Amino acid sequence: MLVQQHRRTCRLTGIVRPATALGLAVLATGCGPQSMLSPAGPRAEVIADIWWAMFWGAVAVQLLVLLLGAYALWWRGRRPAVRSSVFIVGGGVLLPLVSLTLLLVYGYRIGAFLAAPPADALRIEVVGQQFWWQARYPGQTAVETAGVLRIPVGEPVLLALRTKDVIHSFWVPRLAGKQDLIPGRVNDIWLQADRPGVYRGQCAEFCGAQHARMALVVVAEPRPQFDAWLEAQRRAAPDPGADPGFSAFMQSDCQSCHRIRGTDAGGERGPDLTHIGSRWRLRAEHAVAPARTLVDWIRLSHLSLPEDEQPSGPASLPAQQLESIAGYLEGLQ
Ligand SMILES: [Cu+2]
């Protein structure tokens, strides 16, 4: 469904294209899963509107300049039909005064809309770090996800953005503009998805060697589904008992970085894996290098860590042991 909607938007720009024609390579690349020109929420719509307003404004100014250029060539050496003071006052004073005042008022109104988060918005904490995104949902049992942000559709959501290390920038082009994550600060941004769907985002500030892998998926779904999901995520993992996959997990040092609520694994350096089985495919599908199996995904995930922090386990464990661990993790739905 989402893809269809997307095609429709693309077809629309296809109709406009002959009119705007030449030099619009931007439009050709403007259709894609991460295009701010196919907005899917009020915040992104306003930003796309500014883009179009500035685009048509630039087209108008360009035409005007070309016309004046032609006029100048045409009248060269003849007696001017229009006094030069008309150009100086009109083009040098009035035109910038009027157009810049209009832009200022327009920009100010939009700025006020973008800056003020709706009072009753659901608040989710988002932590950026080299090179992944972590989301924390409020509540007695804090739910944590990695690389996937689930939100209810049609409602404003307030994201409190923090970074653990360097400056990152949160950007989901179809839902909102960019907001930097700055060490020592909490920066808020609000967004809203008007249609259910999956929206891809990306860190938009170069933050180190694996910056390009720092992708994020926003899943917007109707409130009842969202509530059910959150409720299910709050549950701890079942008692692993003598599951050999779990023992291998504990013995392979995975637990020093990963928590699985309800078990002895309590590490905090990496993503909470309590419900990894319900999440990894979605994440892997939107990663830079898609993984087909959970074993692939385990290997791939750690490659994107800063080099001196990469655990040796995921890369060097015997395949059988890794498969046993993956089998256990897959069951953590
Ligand atoms: Cu980053």
Side-chain angles (χ1 to χ4, degrees):
M1 190 190 87
L2 202 79
V3 175
Q4 264 170 10
Q5 249 160 19
H6 203 75
R7 289 219 183 97
R8 221 170 297 143
T9 335
C10 287
R11 217 173 293 139
L12 251 185
T13 52
I15 296 166
V16 182
R17 204 174 295 154
T20 42
L22 289 168
L24 273 185
V26 178
L27 266 191
T29 55
C31 289
Q34 269 188 170
S35 169
M36 51 76 65
L37 290 180
S38 22
R43 194 185 176 107
E45 257 155 36
V46 157
I47 293 172
D49 286 349
I50 302 179
W51 193 93
W52 284 112
M54 290 181 51
F55 172 74
W56 288 118
V59 168
V61 170
Q62 174 75 359
L63 285 180
L64 187 70
V65 169
L66 287 177
L67 277 177
L68 288 178
Y71 172 83
L73 287 177
W74 178 253
W75 286 96
R76 196 167 46 168
R78 306 177 199 206
R79 251 184 68 119
V82 183
R83 268 185 297 141
S84 50
S85 60
V86 171
F87 286 113
I88 294 172
V89 176
V93 180
L94 279 181
L95 185 69
L97 197 72
V98 171
S99 56
L100 291 182
T101 308
L102 283 178
L103 260 184
L104 186 72
V105 174
Y106 179 53
Y108 179 79
R109 290 192 47 197
I110 285 175
F113 169 75
L114 292 180
D120 52 349
L122 167 72
R123 188 183 160 95
I124 304 171
E125 207 178 295
V126 173
V127 183
Q129 48 197 298
Q130 289 170 320
F131 298 91
W132 55 290
W133 299 94
Q134 183 179 37
R136 259 191 225 131
Y137 292 78
Q140 284 216 309
T141 323
V143 167
E144 272 182 29
T145 63
V148 177
L149 181 69
R150 260 181 216 258
I151 59 171
V153 79
E155 286 178 36
V157 175
L158 184 68
L159 305 178
L161 305 174
R162 281 196 306 116
T163 166
K164 265 200 184 155
D165 35 54
V166 299
I167 299 179
H168 302 276
S169 183
F170 180 91
W171 195 29
V172 185
R174 300 193 59 206
L175 297 181
K178 294 174 190 168
Q179 176 69 61
D180 277 5
L181 291 74
I182 298 175
R185 292 190 54 137
V186 179
N187 282 348
D188 286 349
I189 186 176
W190 69 269
L191 50 80
Q192 177 175 327
D194 284 339
R195 297 187 287 275
V198 179
Y199 304 96
R200 193 179 192 274
Q202 182 101 39
C203 177
E205 177 84 38
F206 180 72
C207 55
Q210 300 287 349
H211 156 74
R213 286 188 194 269
M214 201 167 158
L216 155 96
V217 207
V218 179
V219 180
E221 54 193 3
R223 187 45 120 151
Q225 252 158 284
F226 172 78
D227 285 340
W229 170 80
L230 195 57
E231 202 48 47
Q233 295 283 309
R234 288 199 203 286
R235 280 200 291 275
D239 180 1
D243 190 314
F246 178 71
S247 319
F249 183 87
M250 296 302 276
Q251 280 155 21
S252 311
D253 199 35
C254 313
Q255 94 293 352
S256 69
C257 290
H258 293 288
R259 175 174 44 227
I260 300 177
R261 280 185 283 119
T263 76
D264 289 341
E268 296 197 332
R269 167 75 181 83
D272 183 315
L273 300 181
T274 311
H275 294 276
I276 179 68
S278 67
R279 176 174 78 228
W280 77 269
R281 274 194 201 80
L282 188 61
R283 234 195 124 181
E285 211 174 288
H286 292 268
V288 174
R292 258 173 293 128
T293 65
L294 182 48
V295 172
D296 291 346
W297 183 237
I298 292 172
R299 293 216 177 97
L300 198 74
S301 293
H302 300 93
L303 289 183
S304 59
L305 294 182
E307 248 166 56
D308 52 340
E309 291 173 42
Q310 280 180 19
S312 56
S316 64
L317 281 181
Q320 204 191 354
Q321 201 166 342
L322 209 51
E323 262 155 35
S324 158
I325 295 178
Y328 165 67
L329 294 179
E330 186 84 60
L332 297 178
Q333 288 295 321

